[in-house]
Amino acid sequence: MVNNSKGVEFIIHGIVQGVGFRPFIYRLAQEIGLTGTVSNSSKGVVVRIHCGPEQLDCFQTALTTQAPPLAKITSIEQRILDDYPPRQDFAIDVSESGPVSSALIPPDIAICRDCSRELTDPDDRRYLYPFINCTNCGPRFSIVETIPYDRPKTSMKQFPMCASCGAEYGDPADRRFHAQPNSCFACGPSLSYHDKKGVSAVAGDPIAATVQALNRGDVVAIRGLGGFHLAVDGTCETAVANLRARKSRPAKPLAIMMADINQLGEITEVNPLERELLTGPQHPIVLLPKPDSALLAGNLAPGISEIGVMLPYTPFHKLLFHHPDCPKILVMTSGNISGEPICTSNECAFDKLTGIADAFLLHNRDIVTRIDDSVARVIHNEVMLMRRARGYVPAPIILKDSLPPVLGCGGGLKSTFCLAKGHFAILSQHIGDLFNIESFEFYSESVDHLKKVLEIEPELVACDLHPDYLSSHFAQELGLPLYRVQHHHAHAVAVMTEHALTNQVLAVVLDGTGYGTDGTIWGGEFLLCDQAYFKRMGHLQPLPLPGGDAAASEPYRMALAALFATFGPDGLKKKNLPPSLSAIDPSRIQLIGEMLLHNFNCPMTSSCGRLFDGVAALLGVRQVISFEGQAAMGLEAIAQAALKNSPQSLSELLSSCDKDQAPVEKNEAIQIASHHFIGSVVEALHLGRPVQEIALHFHLQLINTITQHVHMFSRQTGVKDIVLSGGCMQNRLLLEGLFLSLKQKELKVYTGSEVPVNDGGISLGQVTIGGLQHVSSHSHAGY
Ligand code: ZN
Ligand code: ZN
Ligand code: FE
């Protein structure tokens, strides 16, 4: 031991437990030749070492540069230990472990490189074992029943480890040290193949039987990590059509899985960030520009410019593709009845998916917590999660401001909830639309489960202003101090919270539907806001919604409303209607005209989503939709096609038409004349311009108009941080255009990355807003 060696203690905070951090420290200590201990504590990972100055340097650098892939260090405390007696060795100290902070149950992680290698190595004892995993990969959140995260408290408890697995589990130098789901052929879960009646095939390889069924064009229900998928051969149009018909899912895009990044590379270009996402620990579905490949069945994502792709993330998915006869592309869509949560148990699958599936590939490891595939895309060189679930939940979002224990209940569509306490906020997995009893049960069970495993007992609750959302009723019945949060403020603050923006920002929230403080429906909003309060600076001029909610699923109603609002009753006369609306029954047009004229059942909305619907219908993209956002996605797709064919880049196009903006009407808040957009579209239609071009021009005009307004508000207020949020920001063209043009005005632009900009993110905004309002109204310190 060097003379000038001393005792040093590190307390490492962040996501450092259950992610292989202690074995990492152990191996690092062996490498550098340190003596001491590492242990888990409620504060984080505690390391005590004896070392010289050079060793200390080495250790400090390695801590931050070589940490395991799933670890996220938020801070490191370091202090000298004056009377730390030297040790002979370095040890993982289990005895010292206090209560581990349960906020740190890791998410489910895709199979790692080492396990993938062993899986296909004929000499490995786990060769072709469908449940291979290690400290760096495998199921986590989906198998946890209660805390602390330990095998007997997971659904692995029914599989006692064999001697070989037990030895790996107990060896600090092994990659499977304390890997809770560690198992092998001798002791772990297994797969089974069943026909459509549920009869199990006793002999034969379940993987081979599944591949055979897929090749026949059959629909196979596959039990996965967080729930069931329905799989079919994604190269076969008939098989896909069959799945669509049985699932009553006529048009909604279907996600696909391919063997690996090289196979994917053969049909489309993948940029480095997309590659990182596809192959990283989370393995989400990544939305990529839809390739022009003959391999893809034509009906996977009709009328949409993107397709969702994921790579195999469990060993048994890998084994399917490892089989030489497996189709090159598999559709992997959620195994549920439309509108209900995905099935997790074998019984549920037999009950609900019979009639859809021709066969079942099952396993016997219980899924404790249902969790869907996450969905992400790369826009403007940033990752954007559209659906936050597997791989991400329940990893915390680190908060700049400390919050009291609070529950945010979310909204109605794409629901999530959020629990926060101190400097951690945990966004729940995507629950789905809260419209039926099954989804609501999933929602309330998940709230209970997450409260338990995170040990957060909320002292207050925040919900949407909308009085009719099931989530608002749920919040009300908790009997806690209740904070009702305006929908678009929550959208904005979700982004602010993620980026730790604690000062005022200007937020542009372009959205479908959200309840406004004046009782009308908002959705095209310019807000000046901080994390607790907001002021509505401006908005899109409201349009009537003939028939209320019905207008959202029948975009032609919005087209008629827009024509009426722009040209008056004359706009609906047969001779003035654009050809795209000629197929609509004239008596319906007349009826809607009457409703508009007499302002009967026509609530007003400043929704940007509805404006997109109206334009989409005018251009003949869609008159009636079968899933939310379908018309807007179709409109974006044709605009993207025009952009692709244009010799000019997006930024050149934007500057060439930046004089063409919608005028402004001044009221309490500034209103952007939606009529102007409609007028331009109708005029271009009369001039016989191609619809693709008109769709692109509409996007450009909207981007420029928004930019000018933001710029004006920025000069008025001196605020230069701009937040973009709301469901419409999922439109790649709109978001990229806004980034380009706002940055040109030297504004700093933020949007949701790991927190969805759609309604999946608002529960995070709610906890921040509710939590901070609560703190300021009680203004007692201590949180
Ligand atoms: Zn592994
Ligand atoms: Zn074993
Ligand atoms: Fe919304």
Side-chain angles (χ1 to χ4, degrees), residues 110-116 132-138 175-176:
I111 179 170
C112 74
R113 210 165 282 177
D114 291 329
C115 288
S116 297
I132 187 170
N133 67 83
C134 72
T135 348
N136 299 322
C137 74
R175 205 173 86 246
R176 298 194 163 87

Side-chain angles (χ1 to χ4, degrees), residues 125-126 160-166 168 182-188:
R125 77 181 187 94
R126 290 190 181 83
M161 269 183 276
C162 69
S164 312
C165 287
E168 293 164 339
N182 189 28
S183 61
C184 70
F185 281 110
C187 64

Side-chain angles (χ1 to χ4, degrees), residues 530-578:
D530 62 22
Q531 293 188 99
Y533 302 96
F534 77 97
K535 181 179 174 209
R536 193 185 196 198
M537 302 288 282
H539 55 86
L540 290 176
Q541 195 172 42
L543 291 171
L545 263 172
D549 285 343
S553 54
E554 298 181 349
Y556 76 86
R557 288 175 185 252
M558 284 317 297
L560 296 173
L563 290 173
F564 183 89
T566 310
F567 305 107
D570 270 3
L572 302 192
K573 292 231 169 90
K574 194 165 188 324
K575 64 175 175 25
N576 293 333
L577 283 181

